[in-house]
Amino acid sequence: MKASMRQVIVLTIIAVASALVLSMVYNFTYDPIQRNRAAALEGSILAVLPGAVDFNVIEAELTERIDDDRSTVRSTPSSDSGPLMLYQGLDESGKAVGFAFVGEGAGYGGIVKIMVGVDHNTELISGLEVLEHAETPNLGSKIEDASFRNQFIVKGLNDPLTVGQDIDKVSGATVSSNAVTAAIKGQYALALEAYKEAVKNE
């Protein structure tokens, strides 16, 4: 057998063995990763809804946006949109305390994903948690700090939520700060209307 043929066979065996090992590792770690993600999501939902000890999942049909600033929506569902996931927080007596939704904005290092809580009665933001980001450590990553996140509490649809006006930016991280405000404004009005509709139909 020629040396070149032996090399091909050896490389093929190595490639197949590597693929099998990767497949086994993926199958072994997939379930724990999914459980950890679910636990983190649940924790974030309860964290942004003070008084909530449990939650219901509400699937609402997305409506189509009709302008660039995403502040206006059509009244009819878009045929190519997936469901909007809302999480209705419940207190110990089973009474609704509000709802949470996930928003996304374009950050400096990629997508910034946040969980936003909205109070059932006031319709104002009750909490905000950062779920995922790839922002610069010690700069954009400071969007996780409570001092930044707490600025959004008790803000509502009538507030501009504009960095540099009613929201102080993270020093040296304007893009990251804007990503959070964009993530809120991109879904806030839509999520609120969907929640009110869902509650009305209960």
Side-chain angles (χ1 to χ4, degrees):
M1 183 181 294
K2 294 183 179 180
S4 59
M5 181 61 69
R6 283 198 298 270
Q7 290 177 344
V8 170
I9 293 172
V10 169
L11 289 174
T12 300
I13 292 172
I14 291 173
V16 171
S18 298
L20 287 172
V21 170
L22 287 174
S23 177
M24 290 172 63
V25 170
Y26 175 81
N27 290 332
F28 181 75
T29 60
Y30 179 80
D31 287 341
I33 289 173
Q34 293 302 107
R35 285 195 297 271
N36 289 339
R37 284 181 175 173
L41 184 69
E42 179 175 346
S44 296
I45 293 167
L46 300 180
V48 300
L49 295 171
V53 297
D54 198 4
F55 62 90
N56 292 324
V57 179
I58 299 173
E59 284 191 26
E61 288 300 318
L62 282 171
T63 51
E64 184 179 359
R65 308 185 192 288
I66 61 174
D67 58 10
D68 291 337
D69 68 6
R70 301 183 176 185
S71 61
T72 309
V73 297
R74 296 187 189 276
S75 60
T76 55
S78 171
S79 59
D80 58 354
S81 298
L84 171 64
M85 304 303 293
L86 304 176
Y87 307 95
Q88 181 186 48
L90 306 173
D91 64 16
E92 292 181 348
S93 65
K95 183 179 178 181
V97 299
F99 73 96
F101 67 91
V102 175
E104 295 184 356
Y108 184 80
I111 295 298
V112 173
K113 185 179 292 187
I114 62 172
M115 180 73 72
V116 183
V118 179
D119 184 84
H120 180 83
N121 296 313
T122 66
E123 300 179 358
L124 302 178
I125 294 173
S126 58
L128 186 149
E129 291 285 314
V130 178
L131 298 177
E132 297 177 16
H133 73 83
E135 303 304 275
T136 307
N138 297 319
L139 282 176
S141 66
K142 290 184 178 180
I143 58 175
E144 295 183 48
D145 292 354
S147 58
F148 176 74
R149 293 183 290 106
N150 289 346
Q151 295 182 88
F152 296 92
I153 295 177
V154 198
K155 300 286 187 184
L157 288 176
N158 294 327
D159 293 296
L161 295 180
T162 302
V163 173
Q165 292 184 24
D166 57 336
I167 300 295
D168 294 330
K169 71 176 181 179
V170 173
S171 180
T174 303
V175 174
S176 303
S177 304
N178 284 330
V180 175
T181 60
I184 295 172
K185 291 193 284 188
Q187 293 283 64
Y188 194 169
L190 179 62
L192 180 58
E193 287 305 309
Y195 176 71
K196 289 162 70 174
E197 186 67 23
V199 171
K200 184 177 69 175
N201 294 330
E202 285 183 345

